[in-house]
C-alpha cells in the first residue's frame, strides 16, 4: 500500500455535472412546510418575494438530477474538485487498522463547504436580474461564502452579522468586506426590526433570529433584492451533494468500499452533501455503509429533540417546518462550533432520520477540540470546530477498530479550516473550555413553546 | 481554449525527487560568509553548534541535485504538489490578452511556502538526534511552519516571537501552539539576552534581531537543541525549488513557455524557489523568460541597497554575508508584509542579481493591497500581504499587455494566504494605510554603520 497516494485528486472535467436530488429515491416524501397562519402547505408563489424562481423550483423538484449550469461550474473550478485524503499519519498515531479518508472542503475561497451553494444561489439570482442579496450570519462562514459568490456575479451583498460575533470575530467580518460585502452588526439601525430592538435595548448582543428578520425585511421590501439561506432548505442540501459525488468517484478510483460515513450536522447541509450520494448507492444495494451524523451535546436536535412542526428561526417568522427540533426558543450554550448551534435540523434530513436511514450521536466540545488538535498535529490541517465533531467520532471508531482488529473503511468530511477559530483552540489549550451538561428541563421548556400544527 | 483547465494538478508521484542547487550552474560562486572577528571565510565546523551536519553540507554542496529523503516526501504529500492556476477571472477583469498563471502555496498546513524548508530542516535535525529546535518569528509565518514540521518528527519547538507581533497577531501565536509549539514573547525572561533587555526596558516591543539572539542563545547552550532559519541561507533557498520545478512541469503540460516570472522577495526564499529552476532553463537556452523580483518600497534592499558584507541580524551576532543590504541597523516602516521587512537579501540571490540575471522593482503598500483585493474578488483567494507585491506587478504588466496587445505568458506565485492578515485589509479598506516615502538619508545613515570587511 506504500505506493498508494495520500491524496486522491480528480480532474476539473470530473466535477459532477449534476446535483443529486434524493427526493425521488425516498420511499415517501417529507411533510410539506406549512403557512404559519393557515397551517396549509405553502406554495412556490409564497416564496417569490424572497427567492428567485429557479431556486424555488429546485426546492420542490422531483427530478433525480439537476444540471449544474456552466457558469456555476466555471466558478466551482476555482477550487473543485476537492481532494479526498487518506489520513495516514492520523491512522498511525492511533495504531488503528482502520483506513480513514476525509474529503477536505477547507480549500475553498471562504474556507468551508458553504460556497458550494452560495455560488449557485448568487448565479440564479443574478440571472433573474436581482441586484442585491441579503443574508444573516452567525460566526461568519456563510456570510463570507455569499460575499465571495456575489463578487463573482456582480451582485451587491448585505450581511447582518450577530452583534456578539461581529465584535468577537473581526477577521470573518473583514473577510466579507474584502470580498466586497457590506456587513451590519445585528440588530442594526438600518431596519425597522433592528431599530425597534435597539430602541428598547441599545446594547443588545443580537441573535440569529434577529439577523434573519433584518435580512428578510430588507429583501422583502425591495424589488431588486432577494434573501439567501445557507442551510436547512432542500435546494441548499442538494447543491452540497457535489461533495459526496466526488468522494464516491474518488473511493472507486481506489477500489475502496466504505463501511462507515461520518459527518457533523448543524443545519444539515454538510452532512447531507457528503452522505446523500452514498445513501443513494446504499438504497440501490450497491454498498452498505453505516451513515452517522455527529451533533454537539450542547445542541442535540437529532438525539434529544422531537420530530415536530416548528419555526425555522427563533423569532417565529418563517413557515412551519416538520423537523427534528429542540424548540425554536431553545438557546444553545455558546460552544465554539457556531455552525452547529441551530435548534432544528433540515426537514429533509430529519425525514430521512425518521425513516431509520441514518444514525446520530452527540459529542462534548472538549473531546472535539482534542480530536482537532490530534488532527492538526498529524495531518497538518487545523479543522474548524464544526468538523472536529466528525473527527472525534472518527477517532473513537478507529480506536474501536484498534481493539477489534477490524480494518474498517471510514469516510468523513473536514468541511472547513479553523483559521478563524484559533482563539477557541487557545481557550481549549489553556483549559478554559468546560463541558456543561444540558439539563432535560431546558429542552422541555423550549419544547413546550412549539407552535400548534 | 475554453476546455483548458483552470488548475493544473500533478500526481503525488510528480513531486520533485530532488531539490535543485543552482550553484554549479553559475559562472562564478558567490563570495563566502566571513567570521566577524577574523574576517576569514567561516568553515562548516563553525556552524555545528547551530545546525545539523546534513544541512551544513547542503549549504556548501556543489551537487546540482540533492535527493529529497523519502520521509520528507511523505510529509510533502500532505499538500504537494501544489496547483498551478490560470487566473482566468483576473485576466477577464483586466481585459488583458496576457495569460496569467500563479503557483499557489497557501494550501500548505501553515498556509505559506515556509513548510517546504521547515519539514526537511526538522527531519535532518531529528535524524541527527536533536530533540528541540529554536527559532525566531516576526509575523509568525515561519514559526507556525516550523511548529508544524516539528510535530511531524516528534521534536519540541520553541519560538521567540517579536513582542509587538505577539500582542498584535494572537491568531498566529495560537496556530503555533495548536501545532504543539512553545511561544515566548521576545524579549523573554527565559534567556540571558532577553532578561538583560527587560531589566533595562520592561516594555520593550522587541525586534527580529533580539528574537534571533534569544533563539541562538538557547540552541548554542544545549547539546540536544539546534536553531532553524526560514530564509536567506543557501539550503533554505534550495528546499524551496520544489515550487519552480513543479511549475515548470505544469507549464510543459500546457505547452506554455513563460515570458515573465514575477515573485515577491524579502529574504529571498520564495523568489528563489520559484525562479531558480526557470533560470536553469534560461541558462541552458531552453527558454528566455524575464525574471523579476518585487520588493516593498519601504524596504528596497535590491533597488536601493548596496552590495556589501553585512550582518544577517540587526544586533550583529551572525557571520558577515555579502548581500544586497540597507544596513543591518535599518528599521523598515511597519508595513503589513512582515515577511518582506528584512534589511538584506539572500547572498545567493544577491550574487545572481549582481550577475544581471534577474531584475527588481519596488512597490508601495497601497498598490499592493489594491491588487490583493482585486485578486480576492476575482480568484477567490485572499493573498497574504507579501505576494500582493508580486500580484501588483503582475497586474501592472497585464495592463501594459492590454495596451500593446501582447499575449505574454506571466507566471507568479501566491506564496501564502492572508487569513491572518485581514485586519490589514480592513485598514486598507478604511483608508488608514498611507504610503510614506523612504528618505535617502535613512538608508545612508544605516549604510554608514556597515561593518568593515
Amino acid at each position: 500500500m506504500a505506493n498508494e497516494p495520500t491524496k486522491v485528486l480528480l480532474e476539473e472535467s470530473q466535477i459532477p455535472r449534476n446535483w443529486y436530488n434524493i427526493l425521488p429515491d425516498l420511499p415517501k416524501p417529507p411533510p410539506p412546510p406549512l403557512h404559519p397562519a393557515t397551517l396549509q402547505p405553502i406554495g412556490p408563489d409564497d416564496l417569490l418575494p424572497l427567492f428567485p424562481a429557479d431556486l424555488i423550483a429546485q426546492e420542490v423538484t422531483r427530478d433525480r438530477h439537476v444540471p449544474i449550469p456552466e457558469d456555476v461550474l466555471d466558478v466551482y473550478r476555482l477550487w473543485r474538485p476537492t481532494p479526498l485524503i487518506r489520513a495516514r499519519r492520523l491512522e498511525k498515531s492511533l495504531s488503528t487498522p482502520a483506513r480513514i479518508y476525509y474529503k477536505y472542503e477547507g480549500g475553498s475561497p471562504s474556507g468551508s463547504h458553504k460556497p458550494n451553494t452560495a455560488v449557485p444561489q448568487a448565479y440564479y439570482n443574478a440571472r433573474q436580474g436581482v441586484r442585491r442579496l441579503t443574508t444573516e450570519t452567525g460566526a461568519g462562514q456563510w456570510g463570507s461564502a455569499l460575499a465571495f459568490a456575489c463578487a463573482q456575479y456582480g451582485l451587491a451583498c448585505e450581511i447582518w452579522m450577530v452583534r456578539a460575533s461581529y465584535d468577537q470575530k473581526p477577521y470573518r467580518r473583514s473577510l466579507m468586506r474584502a470580498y466586497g460585502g457590506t456587513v451590519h452588526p445585528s440588530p442594526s439601525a438600518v431596519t425597522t426590526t433592528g431599530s425597534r430592538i435597539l430602541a428598547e435595548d441599545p446594547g443588545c448582543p443580537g441573535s440569529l433570529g434577529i439577523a434573519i428578520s433584518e435580512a428578510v425585511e430588507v429583501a422583502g421590501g425591495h424589488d431588486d433584492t432577494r434573501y439567501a439561506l445557507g442551510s436547512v432548505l432542500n435546494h441548499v442540501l442538494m447543491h452540497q451533494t457535489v461533495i459526496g459525488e466526488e468522494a464516491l468517484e474518488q473511493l472507486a478510483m481506489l477500489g475502496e468500499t466504505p463501511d462507515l460515513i461520518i459527518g457533523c450536522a448543524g443545519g444539515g447541509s454538510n452532512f447531507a452533501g457528503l452522505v446523500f450520494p452514498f445513501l443513494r448507492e446504499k438504497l440501490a444495494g450497491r454498498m452498505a455503509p453505516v451513515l452517522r451524523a455527529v451533533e454537539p451535546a450542547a445542541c442535540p436536535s437529532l438525539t434529544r429533540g422531537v420530530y415536530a412542526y416548528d419555526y425555522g428561526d427563533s423569532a417565529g417568522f418563517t413557515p412551519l417546518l416538520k423537523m427534528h427540533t429542540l424548540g425554536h426558543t431553545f438557546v444553545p450554550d455558546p460552544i465554539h462550533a457556531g455552525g452547529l448551534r441551530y435548534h432544528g435540523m433540515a426537514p429533509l434530513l430529519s425525514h430521512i432520520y425518521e425513516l431509520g436511514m441514518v444514525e446520530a450521536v452527540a459529542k462534548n466540545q472538549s473531546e472535539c477540540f482534542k480530536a482537532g488538535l490530534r488532527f492538526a498535529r498529524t495531518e497538518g490541517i487545523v479543522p474548524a470546530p464544526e468538523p472536529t465533531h466528525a473527527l472525534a467520532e472518527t477517532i473513537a471508531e478507529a480506536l474501536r477498530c484498534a481493539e477489534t482488529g477490524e480494518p474498517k473503511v471510514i469516510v468523513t468530511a473536514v468541511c472547513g479550516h479553523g483559521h478563524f477559530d484559533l482563539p477557541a483552540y487557545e481557550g481549549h489549550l489553556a483549559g478554559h473550555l468546560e463541558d456543561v451538561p444540558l439539563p432535560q428541563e431546558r429542552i422541555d421548556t423550549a419544547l413546550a413553546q412549539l407552535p400548534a400544527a
Side-chain angles (χ1 to χ4, degrees), chain A:
Chain A
M1 310 285 264
N3 284 329
E4 282 182 9
T6 296
K7 304 180 294 299
V8 185
L9 306 175
L10 299 173
E11 298 292 323
E12 284 175 18
S13 58
Q14 292 170 291
I15 296 176
R17 314 306 279 190
N18 297 286
W19 292 300
Y20 168 56
N21 176 23
I22 202 170
L23 268 173
D25 288 333
L26 296 177
K28 58 177 187 175
L34 303 182
H35 194 286
T38 65
L39 298 187
Q40 294 301 307
I42 55 164
D45 287 357
D46 293 323
L47 299 171
L48 280 172
L50 290 186
F51 300 106
D54 287 325
L55 289 177
I56 297 171
Q58 289 185 0
E59 187 65 17
V60 296
T61 183
R62 305 278 308 168
D63 293 348
R64 181 171 284 106
H65 298 291
V66 174
I68 305 177
E70 196 52 48
D71 277 355
V72 170
L73 286 171
D74 213 47
V75 181
Y76 275 179
R77 278 187 195 102
L78 290 175
W79 77 97
R80 302 211 72 85
T82 62
L84 181 80
I85 306 178
R86 170 87 180 268
R88 290 183 190 280
R89 301 181 86 83
L90 174 63
E91 288 169 18
K92 200 173 154 196
S93 89
L94 298 167
S95 303
T96 180
R99 298 200 290 284
I100 302 172
Y101 295 92
Y102 62 98
K103 187 76 173 156
Y104 183 49
E105 294 288 313
S108 81
S110 65
S112 79
H113 66 300
K114 292 290 185 189
N116 294 332
T117 184
V119 170
Q121 289 194 47
Y123 166 76
Y124 288 115
N125 275 286
R127 205 172 69 151
Q128 187 178 293
V130 170
R131 306 288 295 274
R132 177 173 61 160
L133 284 181
T134 67
T135 199
E136 74 289 338
T137 200
Q141 274 287 13
W142 168 241
S144 50
L146 194 68
F148 155 72
C150 285
Q152 295 297 317
Y153 299 107
L155 290 170
C157 185
E158 216 152 326
I159 300 143
W160 277 263
M161 185 175 189
V162 176
R163 171 108 235 169
S165 295
Y166 184 93
D167 292 336
Q168 285 161 16
K169 301 194 183 243
Y171 283 53
R172 274 271 168 217
R173 190 179 75 200
S174 302
L175 182 58
M176 294 183 247
R177 290 192 177 134
Y179 285 135
T182 302
V183 190
H184 307 285
S186 169
S188 75
V190 178
T191 65
T192 311
T193 311
S195 302
R196 188 172 41 74
I197 293 166
L198 285 175
E200 283 171 23
D201 176 8
C204 173
S207 73
L208 219 43
I210 295 171
I212 293 176
S213 308
E214 294 198 273
V216 166
E217 178 188 319
V218 171
H222 296 84
D223 278 351
D224 66 349
T225 305
R226 291 291 182 282
Y227 168 73
L229 194 64
S231 189
V232 177
L233 299 180
N234 295 348
H235 68 269
V236 179
L237 272 53
M238 187 181 74
H239 295 158
Q240 294 293 354
T241 57
V242 290
I243 303 171
E245 295 287 16
E246 287 179 7
L248 269 173
E249 188 82 17
Q250 287 160 314
L251 288 168
M253 284 165 65
L254 294 172
E256 287 280 35
T257 307
D259 297 302
L260 175 59
I261 321 276
I262 298 173
C264 66
S269 76
N270 162 68
F271 183 78
L274 172 67
V275 159
F276 282 2
F278 286 93
L279 180 51
R280 175 190 63 215
E281 299 304 301
K282 188 174 178 177
L283 292 170
R286 287 187 286 266
M287 53 176 66
V290 170
L291 308 173
R292 189 176 296 157
V294 189
E295 55 185 15
C299 195
S301 60
L302 289 174
T303 52
R304 293 177 69 187
V306 298
Y307 186 54
Y309 272 105
D310 195 5
Y311 296 108
D313 65 326
S314 337
F317 295 150
T318 70
L320 295 176
L321 307 171
K322 185 83 180 267
M323 61 181 176
H324 274 265
T325 181
L326 296 158
H328 64 283
T329 60
F330 179 81
V331 180
D333 285 335
I335 56 166
H336 287 281
L340 306 183
R341 290 181 69 241
Y342 182 62
H343 67 274
M345 183 57 69
L348 184 54
L349 182 53
S350 295
H351 174 64
I352 286 170
Y353 183 66
E354 278 300 300
L355 292 172
M357 294 172 169
V358 300
E359 309 179 345
V361 295
K363 291 278 175 195
N364 279 314
Q365 175 165 260
S366 58
E367 182 185 348
C368 298
F369 274 109
K370 252 174 80 174
L373 282 180
R374 182 186 278 266
F375 191 79
R377 292 174 188 181
T378 50
E379 296 296 311
I381 296 167
V382 179
E386 291 81 0
T388 63
H389 288 72
L391 291 172
E393 178 61 12
T394 298
I395 288 171
E397 187 73 34
L399 289 174
R400 283 190 285 272
C401 290
E403 278 176 27
T404 63
E406 280 175 288
K408 275 194 190 176
V409 176
I410 306 174
V411 176
T412 188
V414 175
C415 56
H417 64 64
H419 298 169
F420 302 116
D421 305 288
L422 282 162
Y425 277 95
E426 187 92 22
H428 170 71
L429 283 166
H432 295 158
L433 304 186
E434 230 183 310
D435 294 327
V436 183
L438 172 60
Q440 186 57 37
E441 61 180 339
R442 269 181 60 198
I443 300 177
D444 293 342
T445 305
L447 290 179
Q449 295 175 63
L450 282 180

